[in-house]
Amino acid sequence: MTNAAHHRKEVTRPMLEVRSLSMTYAGPESPRAVLDDLNLEVAASEFVCLVGPSGVGKTTLLRCLSGLQRPTHGEVRVGGGLVVEPPAALSVVFQDYSRSLFPWMSVVDNVALPLRAQGVKRAKRLARAAEMLDEVGLADVRKQYPWQLSGGMQQRVAIARALVDAPQMLLMDEPFASVDAQTRFDLEDLALTIRRDTGVSILLVTHDIDESVYLGDRIVVLSGRPASVATILDVPFGHRRDQIRTRADPRFAEIRTEVLVRIQGAGESEAAPASAANLDLVG
Amino acid sequence: MSTTAETTSTRPTPGADEIEPRSRTFAEWAQHEPSFRTVLGLRAVILACLLVAWQLLHALEVGGPGTIPSVPGVVRELAAVTTEAGFASVLWQTVGPWLLGLVIVVVGGVAIGVVLGTFSFAYRSTRATIDFVRSFPPVAVIPLAVLTLGVSTKLKVVFIVATCIWPMVLQTIVGVRSVDPISRQAARSMRLSWWQAVRWVVLPATMPYVATGLRISAVMALLVTIGVEILGGVAGLGQSIATFEAAGDVDTMWGYLLTAMLLGVIVSQGFSRLERFALRWHASQR
């Protein structure tokens, strides 16, 4: 029921293109390669999840994608334009909302900040910020400060801020890693709703394999040192998903196992197999 | 005192989930927040000790007879000095330049601090120089400065800025350098310009450090103001202290001296309150 036929993407230019991306840090003794010849695409309105063992270089990759860092080789394009600085069409949601939101600004001022930077008039930007807060389900906390809210609510504020200047691409760096399980489910559904409502493309980095299967249209598995794309898996659940029924779908377990095998197959990490044992209790 | 009564009175009721009553460790006792009444009581005790010590010094004639007035005598002088006709203008002669100097210290200190804190090369290349310059003893040049600047407000302001700007600069540098890298990344990813990031992210994040610098500089500036008034003979509380001391009117001198000290208390406490208000968003204040 919930799993309608997998939508074929239109043949247009991808929203995000990563071509032969390599990142090597100059080390004290020898240079340390973190990313090696990485290729990746995210289509318009597509939800792609990036998984990989911890320490695989996901953060470095996100910094390159968001224009915060220049890769050693290769290129990143957002909406066709080469990324040399943080692109206007792309917004980032950081994992640590308590550090990415500014405690000296009220919730609504935090959300309106990207518009303020663009010189949007006060009344207009506050109206738009209020609209975004409604979108993420936080209508009545505008005047409060971020630190007065729960973790889940703070991450909603961060998402509202990321959406306020109508980006075409959203990068989310383990956005739900530091909230409790129920809040996490709610925020995952919020991410799906936002994609459906706004048509924004989302690239979400996570170390939670279940989360990647539940959210992604495709799952990109990173592995190796230096990291590259090990495999890309299609997830056939369509745009409408349900925490209970989607997760109970037999294909859910199949894909999850597939992801696990791919991560373990690389034989790189100790962290991933350990969590795999826990995950097998479900389904 | 009252705290021991509290701990013994809160005996756990016998029940299913009985928790072992545990006596407070020394560290817990040392860190616990005392009640307001306890604080008031302790303050009264300390004040009483101070007054007794003072009276004792007077009775023993430390420093020669008449050097330290009796407690009642000094209270009388304080009252006499502060109700005198010209007192307000004397006070303003000290407070006005102090305020002006402090404004320059804050604006200049923060501006210099932001620049030095932002650019690593600037910080690295000026650090030794700043330590060198701020170790300069201002007292040494007061006579010279009187000749070039005259006996004036300008003299006070120049000395306030020259001596009190350094805590401000150093605090701002530390503050700017410890802005959370995630905050900076968030600012960059939102495409804030450098100047926007300074105003909306770096400066607010630096405020706790600036506030500490301000509290240090404010009291320091008051001491410098009074010092310049005494040594340079510029009108104000300091000059009054010096004049009455020279005239042998030690009691009146003490009246002005205590006024200056009380001013210090007001300044220090006032800035603490201001800090609590301005930084109510900061973790240390909530």
Side-chain angles (χ1 to χ4, degrees), chain B residues 23-198:
Chain B
S23 60
R24 212 156 21 168
T25 66
F26 176 76
E28 280 169 348
W29 175 81
Q31 287 295 312
H32 87 280
E33 204 51 48
S35 75
F36 187 59
R37 286 178 65 170
T38 313
V39 171
L40 278 186
L42 288 173
R43 280 182 189 170
V45 169
I46 288 171
L47 188 63
C49 288
L50 201 68
L51 293 178
V52 168
W54 182 296
Q55 190 63 29
L56 212 60
L57 290 176
H58 165 72
L60 295 173
E61 297 192 337
V62 173
T67 305
I68 298 174
S70 68
V71 170
V74 95
V75 170
R76 209 165 16 211
E77 276 311 321
L78 188 62
V81 160
T82 50
T83 50
E84 218 170 303
F87 177 73
S89 81
V90 171
L91 190 65
W92 181 247
Q93 278 163 345
T94 297
V95 172
W98 167 79
L99 209 56
L100 178 61
L102 204 58
V103 169
I104 298 172
V105 161
V106 172
V107 174
V110 169
I112 295 170
V114 165
V115 171
L116 295 185
T118 305
F119 303 102
S120 252
F121 67 87
Y123 172 65
R124 293 276 184 107
S125 53
T126 53
R127 232 176 91 177
T129 314
I130 287 179
D131 283 339
F132 179 69
V133 172
R134 77 193 182 98
S135 305
F136 180 80
V139 180
V141 292
I142 285 182
L144 200 67
V146 168
L147 291 179
T148 51
L149 296 169
V151 179
S152 61
T153 299
K154 205 162 49 175
L155 183 72
K156 295 184 196 175
V157 174
V158 166
F159 273 92
I160 292 169
V161 174
T163 49
C164 303
I165 201 168
W166 305 112
M168 217 58 208
V169 171
L170 294 176
Q171 281 292 115
T172 309
I173 291 174
V174 175
V176 169
R177 288 171 71 88
S178 52
V179 174
D180 193 322
I182 299 287
S183 295
R184 288 182 183 277
Q185 283 178 25
R188 269 188 71 202
S189 77
M190 286 186 271
R191 299 166 58 84
L192 264 59
S193 70
W194 181 79
W195 181 230
Q196 286 173 338
V198 166

Side-chain angles (χ1 to χ4, degrees), chain A residues 191-230:
Chain A
L192 287 172
T193 308
I194 284 166
R195 189 269 299 266
R196 237 183 9 245
D197 290 356
T198 64
V200 68
S201 306
I202 301 180
L203 180 67
L204 184 140
V205 174
T206 179
H207 59 245
D208 181 336
I209 292 159
D210 281 37
E211 182 167 276
S212 71
V213 180
Y214 181 65
L215 290 175
D217 297 324
R218 286 188 303 146
I219 300 171
V220 175
V221 181
L222 289 187
S223 72
R225 261 166 225 263
S228 56
V229 175

